[in-house]
Amino acid sequence: MMRIDLCAVSELADPGSRGFAVPAEAAHLEVESLFIVRREDAVHGYLNRCPHIGSPLEWQPHEFLDPEGCFIQCAMHGALFRMEDGFCVSGPCAGDSLAPVALEVIDGRVIALLPDQPS
């Protein structure tokens, strides 16, 4: 596993989100970025790719949440995904899910665990 130190939990708003470039060593993931979301003490990570057509999700850099901060929202089609598991509850890809990124929080830092080889 490739371990990528992303940021401190304290750098994320609550609720909040932040995007990150995927390192060149993880090009096999076939996506250029990932993002993390925070609600209270929980932090979750996903590849930045809508399951509907594969487009990036954010409205503006680091803005992945709906206006109320309750769901992840696709900027292209408005699909809504639960923050805790990436499951799509509304939109053209309802029933699908975002691709998760494994995370660890160590000493207040969010660490992404990316596969170092294709699966």
Side-chain angles (χ1 to χ4, degrees), residues 1 5 9-11 14 22 26-27 45-46 48 50-52 58 67 69-70 76 78 88 96 100 102-103 109 112 117:
M1 285 298 225
D5 185 333
V9 173
S10 62
E11 294 174 36
D14 178 17
V22 170
Y46 301 98
N48 187 7
C50 181
H52 180 219
E58 71 268 42
C70 296
M76 185 164 287
C88 185
D96 288 338
L103 300 177
R109 305 276 316 161
Q117 299 198 14

Side-chain angles (χ1 to χ4, degrees), residues 3-22:
R3 300 170 59 83
I4 311 295
D5 185 333
L6 299 176
C7 67
V9 173
S10 62
E11 294 174 36
L12 292 168
D14 178 17
S17 60
R18 187 164 172 196
F20 301 89
V22 170

Side-chain angles (χ1 to χ4, degrees), residues 77-119:
H77 294 105
L80 296 175
F81 303 87
R82 294 188 301 222
M83 290 173 68
E84 64 271 15
D85 61 8
F87 182 79
C88 185
V89 298
S90 175
C93 51
D96 288 338
S97 295
L98 299 173
V101 171
L103 300 177
E104 292 181 337
V105 177
I106 301 173
D107 296 327
R109 305 276 316 161
V110 181
I111 311 296
L113 305 172
L114 302 177
D116 53 10
Q117 299 198 14
S119 52

Side-chain angles (χ1 to χ4, degrees), residues 17-19 35 48 57-58 62-65 71-73:
S17 60
R18 187 164 172 196
F35 68 99
N48 187 7
L57 293 156
E58 71 268 42
H62 308 299
E63 293 187 25
F64 294 86
L65 303 182
F71 293 95
I72 298 163
Q73 186 172 25

